[in-house]
């Protein structure tokens, strides 16, 4: 209704409450249970499909022990211990060695792990449908893959560097014993069961095909580079030390075939053991090789010196060497023996170190001292008689060569014994075995996690939607935001909801659902309006005018208008309902009437010509005095209710309402009706409601629960306030009752027969 600016309701109370309403969030989540359940079920479906899509994963494990290298050979003599140095290794270092290419490459070559076969005929849907797919089997004899049309078996596939990691296609040719190898650029033909060497554009291809599927079933084959092949193994291999400083190393490997991972892991362990033993006996082997090369030379020198000495004795007979000469000879013999041992050690050391190494320098210093002493003895011996000197020289040669030869032969035999009993410092505790227990996918865990993720996503969407689209729910919040009281909450009518789904004609609650909470709420609204309006209408007129509008289309204002009209008519009051929405009004459908000859026709009429034959129109006794006005007022067939439809759609509805014709119409109608209810267009869609409100005793704003936007409603009320029009009340329509709404206490309760 029109008011002065002083009478306009106070501005809405602004809340500065920054606290999060946890209860509101909880109920917002509960109200969005359908969305949450949808995403939870969607997550569960995705989890089930994923668990069927991925192949089962198996695991195989083994244990090895890493000890310090045994030094039991020290019992054979300290000189052997000097020749073979001790070596130790830590478990952490060995774990890295196990994953090195030095250990993995022999396994790759043995089991052909650098050859990859795949079946392009197996798609994603097939993997989901079958729940598992066959995988290739690598054995020393070759690589095998089973398909629906037979198996493929490759025993050899080597390519040049340019062809590495490139896919080839293998297909059986029309002939049963032929095949075709193609990479998109080159095509090579060969015979199954024969080794072939093809020369392509980018290099050589060696291949031996033992079997192929029939029915032109193609197979993809790839030769991986050593880097990619070992990286693939390392990604599935785990090597960790159990505990700290225990020396126990656990090896585990995962894959899609239990037999395959057990075989690969076993070969990795054997390869590591072989490398370990080879590395442990390398020093002994090098020393033996050096001795084997020196023993024949020393033997020849000994034999040659013995021949010369025997000839000398035969020529001169036995010579008695004096005590001094004997001492000199003995000392010189010892020096020569020491020199030979030092030279042997030096030869052994120089196989590993350079001349600048401290040990080599130390031996050189010792050799220098002994050589100096030897020169001194030679000087003294030079003073002996010539025959004795020659005898001494020949006997020295024999003794020295004999000592060197025997020492070398003794050490050689001892080292052979050492090598025969030498073992590595790695001991196998447990070899891998086949358990056939899948470790992945954990289907139940995947289903639970997928369901939880779907639930979380659904909850997030509900909360985001609730934050971005702040819909109308709380009457107290509306009153605080708009400053307008909520005078009625109209519950949803389940019966009318079913009718609307079946696209049945709209019906009044009195005839469709007269025992519902919705109908009782309309009656409560009528009571509120009866006691809230003056005994007479505006300017002392008989009629009381109620304008019903909304902030946007689809809020249910026509539903409220028509049912409010019906409950007022029950009071034996003459009621007129006007469809003032001349653009999209549909009140005529509620009363099963025609839209023609209504408000728009009245406002655009030519008083001398009527658009339709008056004989077809129902004359209303109460407006007979008004002459042609009876043409636009129609009886609904319901006692005490008349109806003015919207009429033909005009070009400028707002202008028609403002040109004075509507004022004249309301003046006439006020004389003949007790209540006039006007159903106007939405405020945010047109300005018609502001013009119509000038004639209303009550202006009511209809909004839809959990659908209308709160901000739009507040803006619509503010627009009315700016036009000096007071909105007298808000009707919250289509409220849904349930435990998921904390505002369900706003419901009215039916009293009477609910059957």
């Amino acid at each position: 209704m029109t008011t002065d600016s002083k009478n306009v309701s106070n501005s809405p109370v602004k809340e500065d409450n920054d606290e999060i309403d946890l209860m509101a969030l909880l109920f917002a989540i509960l109200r969005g249970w359908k969305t949450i359940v949808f995403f939870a079920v969607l997550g569960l479906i995705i989890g089930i499909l994923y668990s069927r899509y991925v192949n089962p994963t198996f695991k195989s494990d083994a244990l090895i022990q890493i000890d310090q290298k045994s030094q039991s050979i020290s019992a054979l003599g300290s000189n052997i211990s000097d020749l073979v140095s001790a070596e130790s290794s830590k478990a952490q270092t060995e774990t890295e060695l196990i994953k090195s290419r030095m250990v993995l490459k022999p396994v790759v070559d043995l089991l052909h792990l650098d050859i990859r076969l795949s079946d392009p005929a197996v798609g994603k849907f097939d993997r989901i449908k079958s729940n598992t797919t066959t995988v290739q089997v690598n054995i020393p004899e070759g690589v095998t893959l089973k398909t629906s049309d037979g198996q493929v078996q490759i025993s050899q596939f080597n390519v040049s560097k340019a062809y590495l990691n490139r896919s080839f296609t293998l297909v059986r040719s029309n002939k049963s014993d032929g095949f075709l190898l193609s990479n998109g650029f080159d095509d090579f033909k060969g015979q199954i069961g024969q080794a072939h060497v093809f020369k392509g554009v980018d290099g050589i291809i060696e291949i031996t095909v033992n079997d192929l599927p029939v029915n032109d079933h193609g197979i993809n084959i790839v030769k991986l580079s050593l880097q990619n092949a070992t990286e693939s193994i390392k990604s599935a291999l785990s090597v960790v030390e159990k505990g700290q400083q225990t020396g126990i190393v656990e090896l585990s490997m995962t894959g899609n075939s239990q037999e395959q991972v057990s075989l690969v892991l076993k070969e990795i362990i054997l390869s590591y053991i072989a490398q370990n033993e080879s590395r442990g006996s390398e020093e002994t082997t090098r020393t033996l090789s050096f001795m084997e090369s020196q023993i024949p030379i020393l033997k020849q020198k000994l034999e040659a010196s013995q021949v010369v000495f025997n000839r000398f004795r035969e020529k001169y007979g036995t010579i008695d060497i004096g005590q001094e000469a004997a001492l000199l000879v003995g000392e010189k013999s010892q020096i020569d023996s020491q020199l030979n041992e030092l030279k042997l050690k030096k030869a052994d050391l120089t196989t590993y170190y350079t001349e600048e190494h401290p040990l080599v320098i130390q031996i050189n210093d010792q050799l220098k001292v002994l050589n100096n002493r030897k020169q001194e003895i030679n000087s003294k011996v030079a003073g002996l008689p010539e025959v004795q000197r020659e005898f001494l020289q020949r006997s020295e040669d024999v003794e020295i060569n004999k000592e060197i030869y025997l020492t070398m032969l003794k050490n050689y035999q001892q080292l052979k014994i050492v090598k025969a009993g030498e073992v590595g410092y790695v001991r196998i505790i447990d070899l891998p075995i086949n358990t056939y227990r899948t470790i992945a996918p954990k289907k139940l865990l995947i289903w639970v996690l997928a369901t939880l993720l779907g639930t979380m996503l659904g909850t997030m969407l509900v909360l985001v939607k609730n934050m971005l689209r702040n819909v109308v729910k709380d009457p107290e919040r509306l009153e605080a935001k708009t400053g307008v009281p909520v005078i009625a909450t109209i519950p949803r009518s389940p019966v009318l909801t079913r009718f609307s789904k079946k696209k049945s004609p709209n019906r009044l609650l009195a005839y469709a659902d007269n025992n519902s909470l919705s109908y009782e709420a309309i009656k409560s609204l009528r009571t509120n309006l009866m006691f809230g309006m003056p005994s007479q209408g505006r300017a002392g007129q008989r009629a009381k005018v109620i304008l019903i509008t909304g902030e946007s289309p689809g809020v249910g204002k026509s539903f409220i208008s028509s049912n409010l009209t019906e409950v007022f008519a029950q009071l034996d009051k003459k009621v007129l309902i006007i469809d003032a929405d001349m653009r999209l009004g549909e009140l005529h459908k509620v009363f099963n009437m025609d839209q023609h000859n209504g408000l728009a026709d009245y406002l655009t009429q030519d008083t001398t010509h009527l658009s339709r034959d008056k004989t077809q129109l129902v004359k209303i006794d109460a407006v007979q005095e008004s002459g042609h006005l009876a043409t636009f007022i129609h009886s609904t067939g319901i006692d005490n209710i008349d109806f003015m439809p919207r009429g033909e759609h005009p070009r400028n509805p707002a202008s028609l309402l403002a040109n004075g014709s509507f004022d004249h119409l309301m003046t006439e109608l006020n004389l003949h009706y007790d209540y006039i209810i006007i159903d106007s267009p939405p405020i945010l869609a047109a300005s018609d409601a502001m013009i119509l409100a000038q004639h209303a005793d009550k202006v009511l704003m209809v909004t839809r629960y959990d659908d209308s936007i709160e901000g739009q409603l507040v803006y619509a009320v503010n627009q009315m306030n700016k036009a000096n029009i007071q909105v007298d009340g808000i009707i919250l329509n289509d409220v849904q009752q349930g435990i998921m709404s904390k505002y369900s206490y706003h419901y009215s309760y039916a009293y009477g027969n609910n059957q």
Side-chain angles (χ1 to χ4, degrees):
M1 60 182 292
T2 307
T3 62
D4 295 333
S5 59
K6 295 181 180 179
N7 296 328
V8 177
S9 61
N10 295 331
S11 349
V13 179
K14 295 183 179 179
E15 298 183 13
D16 292 328
N17 186 8
D18 294 333
E19 296 181 1
I20 299 176
D21 191 348
L22 297 180
M23 187 62 67
L25 289 178
L26 175 61
F27 281 103
I29 293 173
L30 293 178
R31 283 191 299 271
W33 69 271
K34 292 182 180 179
T35 301
I36 296 174
V37 170
F38 170 78
F39 278 96
V41 173
L42 180 62
L44 177 61
I45 293 174
I46 294 175
I48 293 174
L49 294 178
Y50 174 77
S51 64
R52 292 184 62 86
Y53 176 78
V54 296
N55 278 332
T57 301
F58 299 91
K59 181 180 179 181
S60 188
D61 52 31
L63 287 178
I64 61 175
Q65 181 181 10
I66 299 175
D67 292 328
Q68 187 175 1
K69 188 175 181 181
S70 175
Q71 295 298 319
S72 58
I73 61 174
S74 59
L76 297 177
S78 58
N79 50 351
I80 291 297
S81 299
D82 294 336
L83 295 175
V84 183
S85 61
E87 185 177 344
S88 62
S89 176
K90 294 182 179 180
Q92 187 62 34
T93 304
E94 298 302 313
T95 58
E96 298 300 324
L97 291 175
I98 293 174
K99 294 186 289 185
S100 66
R101 284 192 295 271
M102 178 184 68
V103 174
L104 298 182
K105 184 180 182 303
V107 181
V108 171
D109 295 337
L110 175 65
L111 299 179
H112 312 283
L113 296 178
D114 51 357
I115 300 177
R116 290 294 174 86
L117 302 176
S118 60
D119 187 358
V122 178
K124 296 181 179 179
F125 179 77
D126 297 320
R127 296 182 62 175
I128 295 175
K129 182 179 179 181
S130 63
N131 195 21
T132 183
T133 55
T134 57
V135 295
Q136 71 179 43
V137 177
N138 295 71
I139 56 178
E141 290 75 16
V143 185
T144 304
L145 176 66
K146 293 182 179 180
T147 70
S148 58
D149 294 319
Q151 72 173 4
V152 54
Q153 185 176 8
I154 309 295
S155 59
Q156 178 192 206
F157 184 54
N158 298 312
V159 299
S160 299
K161 183 178 179 180
Y163 286 121
L164 290 175
N165 303 315
R166 288 171 56 177
S167 178
F168 290 80
T169 301
L170 265 175
V171 62
R172 185 185 288 268
S173 61
N174 295 331
K175 297 180 180 180
S176 60
D177 57 347
F179 70 86
L180 177 66
L181 177 67
S182 174
N183 64 350
F185 301 98
D186 300 319
D187 294 329
F188 307 101
K189 295 181 179 180
Q191 297 296 314
I192 295 177
Q194 299 181 11
H196 294 277
V197 178
F198 301 117
K199 186 176 182 181
V201 176
D202 296 326
I204 302 299
I205 301 173
E206 299 178 4
I207 188 170
T208 303
V209 180
N210 297 326
D211 197 3
L212 278 177
V214 296
N215 300 328
D216 294 331
H217 193 127
I219 296 296
N220 293 335
I221 180 172
V222 178
K223 179 71 172 183
L224 299 179
S225 63
L226 179 61
Q227 179 70 23
N228 290 348
T230 54
E231 288 295 331
S232 177
I233 296 176
K234 286 193 286 186
S235 65
L237 178 64
S238 173
V239 184
V240 293
E241 183 179 8
K242 301 195 69 173
Q244 294 183 353
Q245 304 299 325
T246 61
I248 304 296
V249 177
E250 181 181 32
L251 296 88
S252 61
M253 193 170 189
T254 58
N256 300 128
S257 171
Q258 179 68 77
E259 296 87 352
Q260 189 68 42
V261 294
S262 297
L263 176 61
V264 173
L265 184 58
K266 177 182 177 182
E267 294 299 333
I268 290 175
I269 294 175
L270 296 179
S271 175
Y272 169 67
I273 294 296
Q275 293 288 342
N276 178 265
E277 291 179 352
S278 174
R279 182 157 45 103
S281 61
E282 181 178 1
E283 185 177 351
T284 304
T285 302
R286 289 185 179 182
T287 305
L288 285 174
S289 299
F290 172 76
M291 289 183 176
E292 288 174 352
S293 64
Q294 294 297 316
I295 286 176
I297 299 175
L298 294 176
K299 186 177 181 180
Q300 291 179 1
K301 290 179 65 178
L302 174 60
E303 292 175 349
S305 61
Q306 287 177 341
V307 170
V308 172
F309 181 64
N310 290 334
R311 288 177 181 175
F312 178 81
R313 292 183 62 187
E314 290 176 357
K315 181 178 180 180
Y316 296 101
T318 302
I319 299 176
D320 186 16
I321 302 174
Q323 186 67 26
E324 182 179 356
L327 293 175
L328 292 176
V329 170
E331 183 179 358
K332 187 177 180 182
S333 177
Q334 292 178 359
I335 291 175
D336 289 334
S337 178
Q338 293 178 7
L339 287 174
N340 290 329
E341 288 182 0
L342 289 176
K343 289 179 181 179
L344 182 61
K345 288 184 178 181
K346 180 180 178 181
D348 182 52
L349 288 175
T350 52
T351 58
Y352 300 100
Y353 308 113
T354 62
E355 293 290 334
E356 290 78 13
H357 194 274
L359 293 178
V360 178
I361 294 175
Q362 184 179 5
I363 290 177
N364 289 334
D365 293 337
Q366 294 176 359
L367 290 173
K368 183 177 180 181
V369 172
L370 292 175
N371 286 324
N372 291 336
R373 176 56 182 165
K374 185 178 179 179
Q375 290 179 0
E376 293 178 0
I377 294 175
N378 290 335
S379 299
K380 292 181 179 180
V381 172
L384 296 176
E386 181 178 355
V387 175
Q388 292 181 342
R389 185 169 62 252
E390 186 176 354
F391 175 84
L392 181 59
Q393 183 177 355
R394 299 290 180 266
S395 63
E396 285 177 358
D397 291 340
V398 172
E399 292 296 329
I400 290 173
N401 291 333
K402 182 179 180 180
E403 184 68 25
I404 293 174
Y405 175 74
L406 292 177
T407 301
M408 182 71 72
L409 188 61
K410 175 184 176 183
N411 291 340
Y412 175 75
Q413 295 298 330
Q414 288 179 337
L415 282 178
K416 287 184 66 176
I417 297 173
V418 169
K419 185 177 181 182
E422 192 169 27
V423 294
Y425 50 86
V426 177
R427 182 165 63 103
I428 299 176
I429 300 177
D430 291 327
L431 280 173
I433 59 174
N434 297 328
T435 60
Y436 298 100
R437 290 198 300 264
T438 58
I439 62 170
K442 298 183 182 297
K443 294 188 177 182
L444 182 59
L445 179 61
I446 291 175
W447 297 347
V448 172
L449 291 178
T451 304
L452 290 177
L453 289 175
T455 303
M456 292 174 59
L457 179 59
T459 303
M460 291 176 60
L461 290 178
V462 169
L463 293 177
V464 170
K465 179 182 178 182
N466 186 68
M467 289 188 295
L468 297 180
R469 188 175 182 269
N470 196 6
V471 293
V472 171
K473 290 189 180 73
D474 186 2
E476 284 86 356
R477 182 180 175 88
L478 289 183
E479 293 178 351
K481 289 284 186 180
T482 62
V484 178
V486 177
I487 62 174
T489 57
I490 312 300
R492 173 178 292 182
S493 171
V495 176
L496 290 185
T497 302
R498 289 196 297 270
F499 283 162
S500 63
K501 291 181 179 179
K502 296 178 181 179
K503 298 184 179 180
S504 301
N506 293 322
R507 300 182 62 182
L508 296 173
L509 287 170
Y511 302 98
D513 196 9
N514 59 4
N515 286 320
S516 66
L517 295 176
S518 304
Y519 195 41
E520 292 299 325
I522 295 291
K523 292 179 181 179
S524 298
L525 174 61
R526 175 193 66 184
T527 303
N528 187 305
L529 294 175
M530 287 175 56
F531 291 102
M533 289 191 297
S535 58
Q536 289 186 340
R538 295 165 53 86
Q541 298 299 326
R542 172 186 172 188
K544 300 180 182 66
V545 181
I546 302 172
L547 176 70
I548 297 178
T549 184
E551 85 282 355
S552 60
V555 295
K557 56 184 179 57
S558 298
F559 168 77
I560 300 296
S561 301
S562 58
N563 284 281
L564 186 60
T565 300
E566 190 274 330
V567 295
F568 270 117
Q570 292 180 10
L571 303 176
D572 200 21
K573 301 292 184 180
K574 196 68 176 176
V575 185
L576 173 66
I577 180 170
I578 301 175
D579 189 353
D581 189 352
M582 292 179 281
R583 298 171 178 83
L584 300 172
E586 294 184 348
L587 266 176
H588 57 279
K589 295 181 180 179
V590 177
F591 297 104
N592 295 323
M593 300 179 67
D594 196 290
Q595 74 180 52
H596 302 290
N597 289 312
L599 178 60
D601 301 301
Y602 174 84
L603 297 178
T604 58
Q605 69 177 330
D606 185 340
T607 57
T608 60
H609 299 87
L610 296 177
S611 60
R612 292 186 179 272
D613 188 358
K614 292 183 179 181
T615 60
Q616 298 178 0
L617 302 175
V618 179
K619 301 296 183 180
I620 308 302
D621 293 337
V623 292
Q624 284 289 344
E625 301 83 357
S626 300
H628 71 278
L629 184 59
T631 305
F632 308 100
I633 306 296
H634 307 271
S635 175
T636 61
I638 304 174
D639 294 341
N640 300 323
I641 299 179
D642 292 335
F643 173 54
M644 176 178 280
R646 66 183 174 94
E648 296 292 339
H649 177 60
R651 295 182 178 178
N652 49 354
S655 299
L656 291 177
L657 293 174
N659 65 6
S661 298
F662 187 76
D663 297 341
H664 178 70
L665 173 64
M666 293 301 298
T667 300
E668 290 193 51
L669 294 177
N670 273 323
L671 300 174
H672 306 292
Y673 292 95
D674 296 304
Y675 291 97
I676 299 175
I677 297 178
I678 304 174
D679 183 3
S680 77
I683 295 174
L684 299 181
S687 61
D688 300 12
M690 298 180 184
I691 301 173
L692 296 170
Q694 307 298 325
H695 305 277
D697 296 290
K698 286 286 185 180
V699 177
L700 305 180
M701 183 86 69
V702 180
T703 187
R704 185 177 290 273
Y705 175 85
D706 203 23
D707 184 73
S708 297
I709 305 300
E710 188 179 85
Q712 292 182 357
L713 178 62
V714 173
Y715 182 75
V717 172
N718 290 338
Q719 290 298 102
M720 297 291 278
N721 291 339
K722 290 178 182 178
N724 291 331
I725 299 170
Q726 177 181 347
V727 178
D728 298 291
I730 295 174
I731 301 173
L732 189 57
N733 186 32
D734 199 30
V735 179
Q736 302 176 50
Q737 186 180 19
I739 61 173
M740 290 180 293
S741 176
K742 71 174 183 176
Y743 313 119
S744 60
Y745 60 82
H746 290 285
Y747 267 83
S748 301
Y749 292 89
Y751 183 77
N753 182 19
N754 289 327
Q755 297 180 355

